[in-house]
């Protein structure tokens, strides 16, 4: 079994994820499309502390771009669609048939609400009729159900109409047609969203699993079985036989990685650059780091998203982004947009134990300035929390007289 060093594994992973090349001078639809296809999917998240996560995943690799280009690419050009993949995600259209089993096994969210939907079965069926007759609709366009309250207390889904639409979407009876300016999804019949060559294609279950794992392996470069299975939220037990088949076919190579406890799988086309010179802030939902055990294994970086953690129990902050410099995660910053004041606020900044402040501050400051300009925030403000805050604040302080 081939052996590779920990450094090689990091560089392979970074290259597979698109961090092995400089950002382009200009970002167009073609470049956005290439990044999504390289990653196989982009997780959607609309926590607005900073910017919806899927926009930032592309920014990390490409730098500033017009976010409307991504909306056009997904919802107007129809090269991609939304699906339950690694949670709610943007996926290429040809992934639709690969997720048939996921749709057939879909469970209504919030958990247990299917009992309520059975009580209003006529309304649930009527929603499909409304969409069929009127075209793309969102929850606010639908009437309230008879006999139960429209709003659902203590659920982020908000209302029964939205839960019904999401249930139909999860089961494949509806597809996402577009996002409105407030990010609300509109739903339409799949045959009016998904091209017929994908909508009608039937892929045997095991073939679909194998193809999903093939794409995960290409996107990750190298990983253990759990890494590849998690990419599509597949169980490791289901993934292992398909991964073995890919090994036997020569598409994946079994390798040992220095410091890893279990054997890894290397995609046969994975590149191992001699050097990676990336400088990027990473979304908590970035595929490079979203599976925290792999993040720990690759980078020695313990990471937890604390946005839903009670304030008194947070260690780092509300919305903390790791900073990638070269092939290491060297710092983390707690960020928040302040639209009223036109500021990107750095609430806290922390240097990793094995990193040098002298080497990190300047590129981190430059990346924060680039991010602020992309978000149309003319000012930056740095708080006092964290062992890097003072040096970062000094680097970002405007020259005297300005």
């Amino acid at each position: 079994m081939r052996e590779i060093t920990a450094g090689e594994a990091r560089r392979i992973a970074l290259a597979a994820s698109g961090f092995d090349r400089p950002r382009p001078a200009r970002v167009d639809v073609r470049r956005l499309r290439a990044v999504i296809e390289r990653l196989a999917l982009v997780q959607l998240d609309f926590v607005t502390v900073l910017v919806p996560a899927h926009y930032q995943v592309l920014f990390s690799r490409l730098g500033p771009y017009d976010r409307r280009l991504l909306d056009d690419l997904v919802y107007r050009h129809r090269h991609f669609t939304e699906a339950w993949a690694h949670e709610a995600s943007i996926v290429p259209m040809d992934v639709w048939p690969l997720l048939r089993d996921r749709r057939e096994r879909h469970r209504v969210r919030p958990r247990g609400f299917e009992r309520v939907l059975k009580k209003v079965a006529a309304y649930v069926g009527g929603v499909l009729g409304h969409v069929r007759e009127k075209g793309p609709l969102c929850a606010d366009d639908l009437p309230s159900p008879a006999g139960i309250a429209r709003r659902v207390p203590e659920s982020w889904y908000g209302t029964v109409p939205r839960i019904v639409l999401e249930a139909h979407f999860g089961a494949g009876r509806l597809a996402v047609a577009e996002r409105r300016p407030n990010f609300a999804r509109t739903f339409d019949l799949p045959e009016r969203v998904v091209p017929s060559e994908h909508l009608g294609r039937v892929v045997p279950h095991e073939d679909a699993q194998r193809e999903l794992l093939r794409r995960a392996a290409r996107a990750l470069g190298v990983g253990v079985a759990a890494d590849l299975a998690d990419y599509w939220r597949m169980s490791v037990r289901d993934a292992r036989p398909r991964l073995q088949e890919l090994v036997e076919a020569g598409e994946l190579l079994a390798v040992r990685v220095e410091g890893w406890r279990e054997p890894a799988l290397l995609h046969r086309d994975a590149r191992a650059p001699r050097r990676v010179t990336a400088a990027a802030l990473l979304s908590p939902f970035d595929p490079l780091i979203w599976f925290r055990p792999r993040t720990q294994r690759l980078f020695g970086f313990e990471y937890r998203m604390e946005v839903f953690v009670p304030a008194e129990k947070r260690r780092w902050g509300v919305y903390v982004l790791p900073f990638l410099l070269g092939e290491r995660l060297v710092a983390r910053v707690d960020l928040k947009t302040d639209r009223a004041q036109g500021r990107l606020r750095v609430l806290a900044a922390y240097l990793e134990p094995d990193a040098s402040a002298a080497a990190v501050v300047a590129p981190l400051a430059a990346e924060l300035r680039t991010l602020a300009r992309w978000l149309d925030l003319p000012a930056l403000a740095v708080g006092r929390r964290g062992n890097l805050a003072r040096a970062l604040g000094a680097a970002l302080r405007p020259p005297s007289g300005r």
Side-chain angles (χ1 to χ4, degrees):
M1 188 180 293
R2 176 183 168 188
E3 296 187 5
I4 61 177
T5 68
E8 285 176 310
R10 279 194 300 274
R11 291 190 292 275
I12 289 168
L14 289 165
S17 198
F19 287 108
D20 61 332
R21 60 203 64 195
R23 290 170 171 172
R26 177 177 173 273
V27 179
D28 56 15
V29 167
R30 179 181 59 83
R31 290 190 183 275
L32 291 173
R33 182 175 180 176
V35 171
I36 302 175
E37 289 175 345
R38 167 187 285 268
L39 298 176
L41 62 88
V42 175
Q43 184 177 343
L44 290 156
D45 190 88
F46 287 90
V47 173
T48 55
V49 175
L50 184 65
V51 64
H54 48 289
Y55 294 120
Q56 194 197 336
V57 168
L58 296 168
F59 169 85
S60 297
R61 291 154 177 80
L62 297 172
Y65 68 96
D66 186 339
R67 295 191 289 280
R68 293 172 298 184
L69 291 178
L70 179 58
D71 298 333
D72 288 344
L73 186 62
V74 177
Y75 304 109
R76 291 163 185 75
H77 299 325
R78 303 291 196 205
H79 293 305
F80 302 91
T81 191
E82 292 191 25
W84 283 105
H86 182 97
E87 302 302 324
S89 305
I90 295 169
V91 300
M93 277 292 184
D94 65 355
V95 168
W96 176 273
L98 303 179
L99 297 174
R100 177 169 55 92
D101 180 66
R102 185 76 53 88
R103 294 190 292 272
E104 291 175 349
R105 293 185 293 107
H106 181 76
R107 297 187 64 175
V108 173
R109 303 184 186 199
R111 186 178 296 274
F113 207 81
E114 59 267 26
R115 294 191 298 272
V116 178
L117 297 185
K118 288 179 180 178
K119 295 178 182 179
V120 290
Y123 177 81
V124 172
V127 165
L128 288 177
H130 279 293
V131 174
R132 185 175 293 108
E133 177 185 349
K134 298 181 180 180
L137 297 176
C138 74
D140 290 344
D141 300 325
L142 293 171
S144 297
I148 61 172
R150 182 180 181 90
R151 296 208 61 81
V152 181
E154 299 181 1
S155 170
W156 66 271
Y157 282 93
T159 66
V160 173
R162 180 175 175 190
I163 292 173
V164 171
L165 287 169
E166 296 283 353
H168 284 312
F169 166 67
R173 294 183 290 268
L174 292 176
V176 175
E178 65 176 343
R179 291 270 182 174
R180 291 185 176 172
N182 65 352
F183 301 128
R185 295 204 271 193
T186 69
F187 298 85
D188 204 349
L189 301 179
E191 55 265 35
R192 299 201 288 236
V193 175
V194 182
S196 58
E197 66 266 28
H198 304 307
L199 185 68
R201 183 177 169 224
V202 177
V203 181
H205 176 58
E206 292 183 358
D207 291 348
Q209 287 183 320
R210 195 180 303 109
E211 177 59 22
L212 291 174
L213 291 166
R214 181 183 288 118
R215 295 185 186 211
R218 189 180 300 117
L220 292 177
V222 64
V224 301
D227 301 339
L228 275 67
D230 176 77
Y231 211 82
W232 299 96
R233 289 294 199 249
M234 194 182 300
S235 75
V236 177
R237 187 176 71 174
D238 286 344
R240 285 196 188 278
R242 307 289 82 79
L243 292 171
Q244 182 58 36
E245 290 161 3
L246 292 172
V247 170
E248 291 170 357
E251 296 185 53
L252 301 183
L253 308 175
V255 297
R256 293 193 184 280
V257 179
E258 174 191 9
W260 293 18
R261 292 184 177 180
E262 60 181 293
L265 296 166
L266 175 70
H267 192 276
R268 66 182 177 190
D269 297 329
R271 294 178 54 255
R274 293 183 178 178
R275 188 166 175 244
V276 173
T277 59
L281 287 161
L282 303 178
S283 163
F285 303 94
D286 195 293
L288 182 67
I289 59 169
W290 67 24
F291 191 49
R292 309 312 189 207
R294 183 171 187 262
T295 306
Q296 178 74 51
R297 227 181 300 119
L298 273 174
F299 299 103
F301 189 89
E302 183 183 346
Y303 186 45
R304 181 188 184 194
M305 187 177 176
E306 298 178 311
V307 67
F308 299 117
V309 174
E312 67 276 10
K313 295 184 178 180
R314 290 180 189 135
R315 182 180 178 187
W316 305 108
V318 176
Y319 201 75
V320 176
L321 279 62
F323 180 52
L324 171 69
L325 184 63
E327 64 180 66
R328 298 279 187 175
L329 297 179
V330 295
R332 57 187 94 203
V333 288
D334 185 16
L335 299 182
K336 179 179 175 60
T337 57
D338 183 349
R339 292 288 174 188
Q341 298 294 322
R343 291 178 177 179
L344 175 60
R345 297 181 62 199
V346 184
L347 304 177
Y350 301 91
L351 185 72
E352 287 300 289
D354 59 348
S356 161
V360 170
V361 165
L364 177 55
E367 180 70 354
L368 286 166
R369 289 191 186 98
T370 301
L371 178 63
R373 287 195 297 271
W374 180 57
L375 297 175
D376 297 320
L377 298 171
L380 273 150
V382 181
R384 297 182 178 181
R385 282 195 295 116
N387 61 356
L388 193 61
R390 178 176 292 184
L392 184 61
L396 288 169
R397 192 173 299 124
S400 59
R402 287 185 60 185

